Amino acid sequence: QIVPKQGPSSASRPLLSRQTFTFAASVVRRLKQRLAVMVAGTVPSTMATLAAHGWVSMARASSFRDGAPVFAVFLADCRAHMSPPVPDTYIGNCVVPCFVTLSGAELAGQDGHARALVAIREAVEEVKRDPLADRSRWNKLKDIPPGRAVILAGSPSFTSSYALDFGFGRPAWSEVASMNHDGEIFLIAGREVGSVQASVAVAADKMKAFREMFVLYSSLKSCDGCSRL
């Protein structure tokens, strides 16, 4: 679905295409196994696996094959890594943004997925060592050139709306409505155990190429494979 941008600056922004993909549990396992082979000694998490796959797919769909950086941006949970640690009873936010960069050429290469996974893992480890080492990182997002970033939100490890039941049964389908950036990917746990749902927003002229990259091992929701808002 094509979603026009709203607001006074809409004329300078691209039309966005929204689509939601579902990765079955078996597909997630295959992606993780492939990365484990490519990066020896690694047991990739579901989040890191889908983040790397989305980052590479977005870069390739955008035809980034140059030496300029392509960014991946996501939030890391730092509650267990603060000193002293944040207590389990804390209910507020305790996150730090991670900015990961690889060149378009690196992501387009045959080992693009492996490079992406290693870069994501190193960024997380750096934040774990000292979450408050770089407090200026929150200001870095505005310096990223438009269209050169993948913004990753959500997490398959969070309890999703599919786990809720108010007496009418679990939801048949759940959508994320607040996606307003070219290159945004929102991950949640899918309806079936072990599955992952990825909602994606990209410039409309890139969606076809992105879908061809991203659905290599995934399955689209029925209804023409497209979520309808």
Side-chain angles (χ1 to χ4, degrees):
Q1 172 163 348
I2 296 177
V3 182
K5 293 295 296 180
Q6 302 296 323
S9 60
S10 60
S12 62
R13 297 181 180 181
L15 290 176
L16 296 182
S17 180
R18 284 279 311 277
Q19 197 153 3
T20 296
F21 307 85
T22 299
F23 290 77
S26 59
V27 174
V28 174
R29 285 195 298 271
R30 288 165 60 189
L31 282 170
K32 293 169 73 172
Q33 290 167 358
R34 186 180 71 168
L35 279 174
V37 170
M38 297 176 70
V39 184
T42 297
V43 181
S45 68
T46 299
M47 176 66 183
T49 297
L50 270 298
H53 183 51
W55 189 15
V56 170
S57 298
M58 196 74 72
R60 292 178 177 178
S62 302
S63 299
F64 294 147
R65 297 183 177 86
D66 53 15
V70 182
F71 298 80
V73 183
F74 57 93
L75 297 177
D77 184 355
C78 295
R79 286 175 293 181
H81 309 292
M82 300 294 288
S83 181
V86 176
D88 293 338
T89 53
Y90 178 71
I91 61 173
N93 290 328
C94 189
V95 294
V96 172
C98 292
F99 292 84
V100 194
T101 61
L102 287 174
S103 70
E106 289 173 313
L107 292 169
Q110 290 186 345
D111 60 348
H113 284 81
R115 288 176 178 267
L117 178 67
V118 170
I120 290 169
R121 183 181 61 187
E122 290 178 348
V124 172
E125 291 301 319
E126 179 183 353
V127 166
K128 285 182 178 180
R129 285 192 292 270
D130 189 352
L132 301 180
D134 183 6
R135 302 183 191 184
S136 66
R137 66 176 71 228
W138 286 101
N139 298 319
K140 294 180 180 179
L141 186 60
K142 61 180 175 52
D143 297 326
I144 296 176
R148 301 282 306 193
V150 173
I151 303 171
L152 298 154
S155 172
S157 63
F158 294 163
T159 300
S160 74
S161 57
Y162 290 115
L164 301 177
D165 186 347
F166 295 104
F168 305 99
R170 294 189 301 141
W173 186 247
S174 177
E175 278 287 354
V176 178
S178 56
M179 299 183 67
N180 302 302
H181 301 281
D182 178 12
E184 189 169 359
I185 300 176
F186 199 105
L187 300 174
I188 64 171
R191 192 175 193 278
E192 305 304 324
V193 176
S195 65
V196 178
Q197 183 175 306
S199 294
V200 179
V202 298
D205 59 353
K206 294 191 296 188
M207 178 55 83
K208 183 177 184 295
F210 174 82
R211 184 172 59 244
E212 291 174 352
M213 304 286 181
F214 198 55
V215 302
L216 182 61
Y217 295 108
S218 73
S219 59
L220 285 170
K221 183 181 182 288
S222 59
C223 191
D224 297 328
C226 179
S227 59
R228 305 189 188 282
L229 300 182

